[in-house]
Amino acid sequence: MERSTPVVAFICTHNACRSQIAEAVARTWAKDAFIPCSAGTNPVASVNDDALRILRDRYGIDASQQRPKTLAELPTVDFVVTMGCGVACPALPARHREDWGLEDPTGKGDAAFLATIDTIIERMLDVRERIETGTIEGSPELVRRRAARRLKALADPTRLHVMQLLAQHEELCACKLLPHLGIGQPTLSHHMRLLCEEGLVIPRKDGRWMHYRLSRCALDTVRETLNLRPENPC
């Protein structure tokens, strides 16, 4: 009997940074669409400390229980995603393979990690939608539909105001957004859920409050669809 939920494996050389980030992000952003896992062709002893710290502090994602793994430890895999380090996995059969071409942010500072993680989130949303719609190879129509949903989300005056406020700050707590919007907490939660579902806003929970920031990568994909040149393409 065919397994209903596909397994997606994220592969790099050391399984310490990018592939671990992808596994952690997928558990948060795509857990209902596929089963994520990761491994390395030459895994090291531990996950990159900066990756764990930034995932925890800036995205509210706890990846502390993850560890580097060998290819032999993976379950049967349906889809293989390599991170962009020239990794070949001849002993890892799969129905679909793709390479994300991501640079390793190790040792390059927090800004490089944030850019990499935001890009991984955007790619993750794309993979999730392709699996959910059965168009794993992707299509221009799928890209246009995703852009149309994002533009529809931005057409609401309240959500557009939220985006404008977030564009002026690196991050804002929900408690800081409410006084500017003149709405209640339940209404704000509704609007933020829609923006987060479309990947336009990245949430982070800190205590009882949610914090939000823009996904520049997602906004760039909208601009690309409109044939506007992005400042920092994903």
Side-chain angles (χ1 to χ4, degrees), residues 73-93:
E73 295 180 76
L74 293 174
T76 301
V77 172
D78 298 286
F79 305 107
V80 170
V81 178
T82 50
M83 295 291 103
C85 39
V87 174
C89 307
L92 193 60

Side-chain angles (χ1 to χ4, degrees), residues 31 47 68-69 72 110 113 128 150 163 174-175 180 205 215:
K31 61 184 178 181
V47 179
K69 300 172 288 296
D110 287 9
F113 273 91
R128 184 185 72 184
R150 287 174 166 173
M163 299 292 284
C175 63
H180 294 279
K205 188 172 184 179
S215 171

Side-chain angles (χ1 to χ4, degrees), residues 26-27 38 57 64 94 107 132-133 158 199 205:
R27 293 188 189 283
S38 69
D57 295 347
S64 60
E132 289 175 339
T133 59
T158 299
K205 188 172 184 179

Side-chain angles (χ1 to χ4, degrees), residues 109-121:
D110 287 9
F113 273 91
L114 289 170
T116 298
I117 298 172
D118 283 1
T119 301
I120 287 174
I121 290 174

